[in-house]
Amino acid sequence: MNPSLLFSQILNGIVTGMLYALMGIGLSIITGILNIPNFAHGALFALGAYLIYTVIQALGNFWLALAVAPLGVALLGLLIEYAGIRPLYRAGHDYQLLLTFGLSLIITEGIIVVWGPIGMSQLPPALLRGGVDLGITIYPKYRLFVMAMAGLLVLGAWLFLEKTRYGAIMRAGIEDKEMVSLLGIDIHRLFTAAFGLGAYLAGISGALTAPIRGLNPLMGVDMLGIAFVVVALGGLGNLPGAIVAGLMIGVAQSLVALVWPEASVAVIFAVMAAVLLVRPQGLFGIR
Amino acid sequence: MSGLRRRDFLKLGAAGAASALGVPARGGAQANEVVMLGLWSFTGAFADVGPILDRGMRMALEERGMKAQGKPIKYVTRDDETKAGSATRRAEEAVDGEAVKYIIGPWSSGVALAVSEVAKRKKVLHYFSGGTEDISGARCHRYSFQWAASPYTAAKTVVDTFMKANPRAKRWHLLVADYAFGWSVEKYVKEVGKTHGIEFVGADRHPLGEREFSNYVTKAAGNKPDVVAMVNFGLDTVTAAREIFNFGLTPKIPLILTWSSGVEELVQLSPEMRENMWVGSNFYYTADTPVAKEFVKNYQAKFGNPPGYAPAAAYGMTRMVLHGMDRARSTDHVDVIKALEGIEVEDLVGKMRVDAKTHQTLRPYFFMRCKKKDAMQHPTDFADIVATGSTPLPPEYSACKDIGSL
């Protein structure tokens, strides 16, 4: 096999895998702490893409837009938890689940109302257009940037969760909410922060993806399915698990596309089925 | 309290429940009424196209004042969900419940092949436009007609014209959608390519709805082609074209969309991504025919943007059925089928003739070259038509040997 092609495919796999991991980490934090599968996660991803497009149109600056757009999604996440999910804690999980499902439809339809049903393209910033010669292959600059940026975000999320006091509280919340609450920590504030952080990660994944895959109102649907696979594979609430699972799926998808392109979507679910048969709790999960 | 009685309330409740379950009310056709079904995708993979197909068909009927041969036309629609199972179920229900005698659509080739079998079994007229050659080929019968050009006509127009302009571009990499339409067009691109000495250095097939094209593009780049040609459609085409640009292949090497929806795809790409892009389509809005000019003018006035292949096909197919009614001087669908066989009209894309032996509409196919950003006069000034071609499928290639009886 051509080594240049193999190398490029592995790079592709790492880039898409990093984006899958970012989505998975966000979903994992929300699902782990709030105990609800956030069906609006894909729609928040799409919203991140549309917001960066709009901010670039308004300000003409990609970097500023990349800083601002995900914060907009995070704010919406905070609002969803505070005004939507919190009043339903007493009503039970079914209602919260239905709420996130309804919100996904509302956000998607909202995108159609504001930006229209037809897809759009967003160019990478001028600095990152075209390819760079890596010696063994020529590779798009923007994809390398996404790889680095997603890597930094994953590292940042890991440092936050592992090395800060609030991160430790979040991890404790995933393990045992009641105990955290009994220790005098405001569990509701923790829930809001978790949803906001998860939404931020979905929003920045969408914003980073926009120049690669473009924008269309249903772009979050595929990503939602993959994010659920990442969470199931990595283990609920498990950050290293989400990273490994995201990369595993991304690289598997790329390598399968090299030899059997028709199976490149099916392989995502084949990997999940294979891992869950051996470890039903996921790669690193304990429940 | 209003005059709503218990019995009325129960009726309303039953109707509401029926509609919630997707069971349409059995209105049936009034005597003397011509019922036509627009079977479009309002959900599923082609959900974005359904509403604009509906626009096209509606415009063609409204131009005639919703009448044919003095009889009122009742236009009904169903959502095929871009699924063969849903499409056949809904088509059968509309034929049985609404007395539909004319089915136009659906949009997906794979779905349409299933609907064509329903048309044959229920003995109703079916007009379809799409890339599979089987409707007027291996699975031809007297009740189904094909409006789009034969994949052979398309491949011949695209490959011949492109090679005339770029005679040295002989290394082609193909990217093909893995379903009925992709296979048909790919076959003839390769067939016609042989006559130009084209070497196909790669041909990858991708599933319908693929969103991660980096892998395919890396492979294409590795083959060092002179040209990348795609046989896919809609969002697949847009996503792949964007990735081909991001990897720096275009505009350095040309990208050919062999069977494109035209406007609907081009509008989703930025001008930089469209540079050095060549586009084949069954319709382009600058087509120089009186019918096209009038249609484009009215469509733009109504919806604010030029029509692409989808609304044009729905409009064109409906017009062909209405031409058949005119020729038959009847709205009886069997008479209309007979009248359509061999009909020759000057219509949307120019001279159009229905081959009686295959039910293939013989008509021109368009080939465009996209404009550079600074050459565009307005935001939808995407491309120039560089050629039209109408070479029909040679009889020896036709898989429709006997179209059968009514």
Side-chain angles (χ1 to χ4, degrees):
Chain A
M1 186 177 287
N2 180 348
S4 154
L5 186 57
L6 187 63
F7 182 70
S8 296
Q9 292 293 83
I10 292 171
L11 282 183
N12 283 336
I14 294 172
V15 173
T16 46
M18 285 290 209
L19 289 168
Y20 294 166
L22 271 184
M23 282 293 285
I25 292 167
L27 186 62
S28 198
I29 290 171
I30 293 174
T31 310
I33 293 182
L34 279 75
N35 243 345
I36 46 166
N38 177 25
F39 281 105
H41 212 64
L44 293 172
F45 166 85
L47 189 63
Y50 276 91
L51 284 181
I52 196 171
Y53 173 85
T54 301
V55 180
I56 291 172
Q57 296 294 313
L59 306 176
N61 186 318
F62 175 86
W63 306 104
L64 197 57
L66 187 62
V68 171
L71 289 178
V73 182
L75 272 177
L76 180 66
L78 296 175
L79 187 70
I80 289 171
E81 201 286 332
Y82 184 76
I85 294 172
R86 189 176 292 190
L88 292 175
Y89 282 126
R90 283 178 189 279
H93 284 135
D94 296 353
Y95 289 85
Q96 294 168 345
L97 190 147
L98 279 172
L99 176 79
T100 63
F101 187 71
L103 282 170
S104 77
L105 298 177
I106 291 169
I107 294 169
T108 304
E109 290 302 318
I111 287 172
I112 292 172
V113 169
V114 176
W115 288 281
I118 295 175
M120 296 184 284
S121 288
Q122 172 60 54
L123 287 172
L127 184 70
L128 298 176
R129 281 180 208 162
V132 58
D133 195 348
L134 299 176
I136 189 165
T137 186
I138 293 173
Y139 201 71
K141 288 181 205 164
Y142 183 75
R143 279 185 169 259
L144 290 173
F145 163 73
V146 169
M147 193 193 296
M149 185 75 193
L152 282 175
L153 284 164
V154 166
L155 183 68
W158 182 80
L159 286 173
F160 170 73
L161 288 173
E162 294 290 330
K163 304 289 177 192
T164 66
R165 185 172 175 275
Y166 208 76
I169 293 172
M170 273 198 179
R171 279 186 292 124
I174 292 171
E175 293 298 323
D176 193 337
K177 276 181 278 297
E178 286 74 20
M179 181 58 79
V180 171
S181 191
L182 283 171
L183 290 172
I185 290 160
D186 184 347
I187 196 85
H188 288 302
R189 189 178 291 175
L190 177 71
F191 287 173
T192 312
F195 210 102
L197 178 61
Y200 176 83
L201 291 173
I204 199 157
S205 306
L208 287 170
T209 306
I212 297 176
R213 293 193 183 179
L215 305 97
N216 74 77
L218 298 176
M219 65 189 288
V221 176
D222 300 333
M223 215 45 166
L224 178 68
I226 291 169
F228 273 116
V229 171
V230 169
V231 173
L233 255 183
L236 193 60
N238 192 304
L239 183 63
I243 298 167
V244 172
L247 287 172
M248 189 190 258
I249 292 173
V251 174
Q253 208 181 355
S254 287
L255 294 180
V256 167
L258 201 58
V259 287
W260 188 17
E262 293 88 341
S264 64
V265 176
V267 72
I268 296 172
F269 301 98
V271 168
M272 180 178 77
V275 172
L276 294 185
L277 275 175
V278 183
R279 281 187 64 84
Q281 71 274 42
L283 288 170
F284 298 93
I286 50 169
R287 58 173 159 138
Chain B
M1 190 75 185
S2 72
L4 187 72
R5 291 173 303 161
R6 182 179 158 277
R7 190 162 290 186
D8 298 328
F9 178 77
L10 288 175
K11 275 185 201 164
L12 281 172
S19 65
L21 291 168
V23 183
R26 301 242 158 172
Q30 310 243 332
N32 216 27
E33 201 173 48
V34 184
V35 190
M36 297 178 79
L37 169 67
L39 189 58
W40 312 126
S41 305
F42 295 105
T43 53
F46 289 145
D48 54 331
V49 198
I52 53 176
L53 286 156
D54 176 56
R55 284 178 185 174
M57 183 163 175
R58 210 174 278 277
M59 278 180 71
L61 295 174
E62 283 170 356
E63 277 176 10
R64 296 281 194 113
M66 300 300 285
K67 280 193 172 152
Q69 302 298 309
K71 293 182 183 175
I73 295 174
K74 182 182 174 188
Y75 171 48
V76 296
T77 61
R78 293 288 186 273
D79 178 11
D80 66 37
E81 297 176 9
T82 330
K83 290 179 195 156
S86 309
T88 49
R89 213 168 43 245
R90 301 241 159 100
E92 288 201 45
E93 168 272 310
V95 170
D96 293 340
E98 301 259 16
V100 162
K101 297 293 180 204
Y102 298 89
I103 301 175
I104 313 280
W107 193 233
S108 159
S109 292
V111 179
L113 283 166
V115 172
S116 174
E117 293 303 318
V118 173
K120 187 180 178 183
R121 198 169 61 247
K122 294 284 183 183
K123 298 185 182 298
V124 295
L125 192 156
H126 170 224
Y127 227 118
F128 161 74
S129 182
T132 176
E133 63 174 341
D134 288 351
I135 294 266
S136 55
R139 289 162 70 176
C140 66
H141 58 79
R142 291 288 292 279
Y143 292 91
S144 277
F145 292 82
Q146 166 71 283
W147 187 83
S150 149
Y152 179 86
T153 308
K156 185 95 179 121
T157 308
V158 167
V159 179
D160 283 357
T161 312
F162 183 83
M163 290 312 289
K164 199 173 167 190
N166 306 271
R168 291 166 66 184
K170 298 227 171 179
R171 289 171 59 82
W172 284 41
H173 182 97
L174 294 180
L175 192 51
V176 181
D178 194 14
Y179 62 104
F181 135 75
W183 309 329
S184 292
V185 182
E186 179 191 10
K187 183 173 87 178
Y188 291 121
V189 167
K190 286 183 170 171
E191 194 73 34
V192 179
K194 271 191 230 160
T195 63
H196 292 277
I198 291 172
E199 181 193 355
F200 291 96
V201 293
D204 278 334
R205 287 181 173 179
H206 66 78
L208 174 66
E210 178 65 87
R211 294 294 163 262
E212 183 51 61
F213 277 95
S214 56
N215 315 312
Y216 302 94
V217 179
T218 311
K219 268 181 93 174
N223 286 334
K224 302 199 183 326
D226 298 325
V227 178
V228 176
M230 297 206 293
V231 188
N232 47 17
F233 199 78
L235 206 49
D236 288 356
T237 302
V238 172
T239 313
R242 188 182 289 123
E243 207 70 295
I244 286 168
F245 170 81
N246 282 341
F247 270 74
L249 268 71
T250 46
K252 275 186 217 151
I253 62 168
L255 172 65
I256 302 175
L257 316 185
T258 50
W259 185 282
S260 167
S261 62
V263 168
E264 287 103 2
E265 285 162 10
L266 297 177
V267 75
Q268 298 188 50
L269 297 165
S270 56
E272 292 85 350
M273 293 172 182
R274 293 195 298 260
E275 198 179 324
N276 208 6
M277 191 183 281
W278 303 64
V279 183
S281 182
N282 278 287
F283 182 76
Y284 192 64
Y285 77 95
T286 56
D288 191 17
T289 72
V291 180
K293 282 180 175 166
E294 190 65 18
F295 169 59
V296 171
K297 190 181 84 184
N298 294 338
Y299 190 95
Q300 274 187 304
K302 210 165 179 179
F303 305 111
N305 54 300
Y309 162 41
Y315 179 79
M317 286 187 281
T318 312
R319 281 181 64 94
M320 287 304 284
V321 172
L322 294 169
H323 283 310
M325 290 177 183
D326 293 345
R327 192 182 188 206
R329 295 178 190 277
S330 162
T331 56
D332 179 86
H333 65 289
V334 174
D335 294 341
V336 176
I337 289 171
K338 289 176 187 162
L340 278 172
E341 291 172 339
I343 195 172
E344 200 167 316
V345 286
E346 281 293 333
D347 206 74
L348 187 63
V349 293
K351 189 175 157 190
M352 305 182 79
R353 181 167 71 82
V354 176
D355 182 4
K357 287 182 181 164
T358 63
H359 283 196
Q360 170 66 47
T361 307
L362 305 171
R363 32 83 34 101
Y365 190 77
F366 297 86
F367 193 48
M368 287 78 72
R369 181 170 191 179
C370 287
K371 291 183 173 183
K372 285 186 178 178
K373 191 177 181 180
D374 51 12
M376 290 170 63
Q377 306 282 320
H378 51 83
T380 54
D381 183 20
F382 302 119
D384 290 319
I385 297 174
V386 290
T388 55
S390 49
T391 312
L393 179 73
E396 64 268 26
Y397 288 163
S398 175
C400 179
K401 300 298 179 199
D402 177 12
I403 198 160
S405 56
L406 285 163

